[in-house]
Amino acid sequence: MWPLARFRVEDDSMSPNLEPGDYVVVNRWAYRFRPPLTGDVVVVRDPDVPGRFLVKRIYQISPEGLVGLQGDNAARSRDSRAFGPVGKEAIIGKMLLRLRP
């Protein structure tokens, strides 16, 4: 498995920082040697839709290691407020950079 992966932003849940059509490059090995931190922007597996990925910001980490996720555009984001916190195993990787088409 390569350490870097590219994902396309499909909606405006992270607007204005990430817009539909942007690409994010993520480091899939980012959390091998350190835990996720609040404020990190991550790509996660959608807990409700198999095969779909979400780009969200970590806003909370519980003592049990569950990660709370939220979109920067809270009014337009389906995130942990809808599906609850996710386990660290749902995180694909940490965003390294944004590519605008």
Side-chain angles (χ1 to χ4, degrees):
M1 174 172 64
W2 293 96
L4 301 180
R6 184 181 72 163
F7 294 87
R8 186 172 189 270
V9 176
E10 298 293 335
D11 61 30
D12 61 351
S13 69
M14 290 295 290
S15 182
N17 298 308
L18 298 171
E19 298 291 342
D22 288 352
Y23 287 91
V24 293
V25 175
V26 300
N27 179 355
R28 294 196 282 195
W29 295 357
Y31 301 124
R32 284 186 171 194
F33 305 108
R34 75 163 183 87
L37 300 174
T38 56
D40 287 355
V41 175
V42 295
V43 171
V44 299
R45 288 179 184 86
D46 188 322
D48 296 331
V49 182
R52 183 170 185 223
F53 301 98
L54 305 172
V55 181
K56 301 296 174 194
R57 187 176 305 277
I58 296 174
Y59 77 90
Q60 179 182 16
I61 301 170
S62 73
E64 298 84 22
L66 296 175
V67 178
L69 305 167
Q70 190 168 8
D72 290 350
N73 183 359
R76 303 274 300 155
S77 180
R78 187 178 66 80
D79 48 39
S80 288
R81 294 170 299 159
F83 51 72
V86 299
K88 286 189 271 188
E89 68 281 354
I91 298 174
I92 301 298
K94 178 183 176 189
M95 185 181 92
L96 291 176
L97 62 109
R98 173 196 71 215
L99 303 171
R100 290 240 157 114

